[in-house]
Amino acid sequence: GYKIPVQLEKENLNGPVFRTFQHCWQYHRGTSHGLNCHLCLAFMKKLQICFSARNDGMLRCSGRCETCRYYQETYYPRLQFIHQFDVPAAVVKDLCFWAGNPEMADLCEVEEKDLVGMGVEKIVHPSSLEQVISGAKRMALGDPWAQTECSIYLKNRQLNRIRARLSVFLLKEPLGAFLILAQRELNNDGATGKLPMN
């Protein structure tokens, strides 16, 4: 008596098959986890990406996003490829981390689990934030002149900031997301973290 899922109605030759999307409150309906969904920011604002609001303190989930069954079943299958890279790698959409591998977590000085839902402003140094936002907008709009490689500053507890080289690729799945590969660059100015003058 169940309706055939859209993915199974015809042969899919475009890649892996993912679950049909449903919002987090729909996923958790009828479970103990879903008891407070009506009080949650994700439900009230009809957020598609609930974990993007994890740091706002208005999510009513009792668990952590990275271990949530909803995240693990709905989003993580699309993101787990980043663990195939031995360099810092992450998937970012709408200036929010969807996932990052252990190398990216080390570079950003955070726990890997904390990257899920973290805004880029928590990682990117203020001196590079405008460059990151502008570049993301241009790439998302399909600007052929948008840079796919750049150097930016990341926040660093010891040096205030460190320089990193990013390679940025627009992904087909999830639509509008970016794959970011990073590498720490050695500064030419000692421990100050300042860019050398040209």
Side-chain angles (χ1 to χ4, degrees):
Y2 288 91
K3 186 177 177 183
I4 296 174
V6 174
Q7 299 97 323
L8 301 179
E9 287 181 346
K10 59 184 177 184
E11 189 175 1
N12 184 347
L13 301 176
N14 296 324
V17 173
F18 300 120
R19 283 176 164 263
T20 302
F21 176 79
Q22 57 180 285
H23 289 95
C24 56
W25 62 88
Q26 295 168 320
Y27 178 89
H28 292 297
R29 184 181 299 138
T31 69
S32 60
H33 187 96
L35 293 177
N36 292 321
C37 285
H38 66 286
L39 301 172
C40 185
L41 177 71
F43 175 77
M44 292 187 288
K45 297 292 184 182
K46 305 296 185 239
L47 297 179
Q48 182 172 346
I49 315 302
C50 56
F51 57 86
S52 66
R54 78 181 280 182
N55 295 322
D56 295 337
M58 294 183 68
L59 291 183
R60 296 294 183 245
C61 292
S62 57
R64 297 192 50 91
C65 296
E66 72 283 352
T67 58
C68 172
R69 283 187 57 205
Y70 172 70
Y71 174 80
Q72 290 291 328
E73 292 180 13
T74 305
Y75 293 99
Y76 190 67
R78 296 165 163 84
L79 311 173
Q80 61 187 354
F81 72 91
I82 61 173
H83 294 283
Q84 297 177 21
F85 296 101
D86 57 2
V87 298
V91 174
V92 174
K93 183 175 181 187
D94 299 328
L95 302 175
C96 172
F97 282 88
W98 281 33
N101 66 6
E103 293 81 6
M104 180 62 82
D106 287 345
L107 180 65
C108 297
E109 297 185 315
V110 297
E111 295 289 324
E112 182 182 352
K113 60 185 174 54
D114 293 331
L115 281 173
V116 178
M118 183 177 283
V120 296
E121 74 280 0
K122 303 281 188 189
I123 302 293
V124 176
H125 191 272
S127 62
S128 294
L129 214 50
E130 182 179 346
Q131 176 186 357
V132 168
I133 293 169
S134 174
K137 284 182 180 178
R138 291 179 67 180
M139 282 191 76
L141 293 172
D143 182 349
W145 304 107
Q147 288 184 325
T148 57
E149 288 193 20
C150 63
S151 290
I152 65 165
Y153 284 122
L154 301 176
K155 294 178 182 177
N156 183 272
R157 286 190 284 270
Q158 292 179 338
L159 303 174
N160 180 38
R161 61 184 185 177
I162 59 168
R163 193 171 163 184
R165 183 91 182 148
L166 304 184
S167 297
V168 184
F169 307 91
L170 188 60
L171 297 174
K172 292 181 181 178
E173 175 68 37
L175 185 64
F178 300 98
L179 167 64
I180 297 175
L181 303 178
Q183 181 179 7
R184 182 173 177 171
E185 290 186 335
L186 298 176
N187 293 329
N188 296 330
D189 58 346
T192 64
K194 294 179 181 175
L195 282 170
M197 299 299 286
N198 291 343

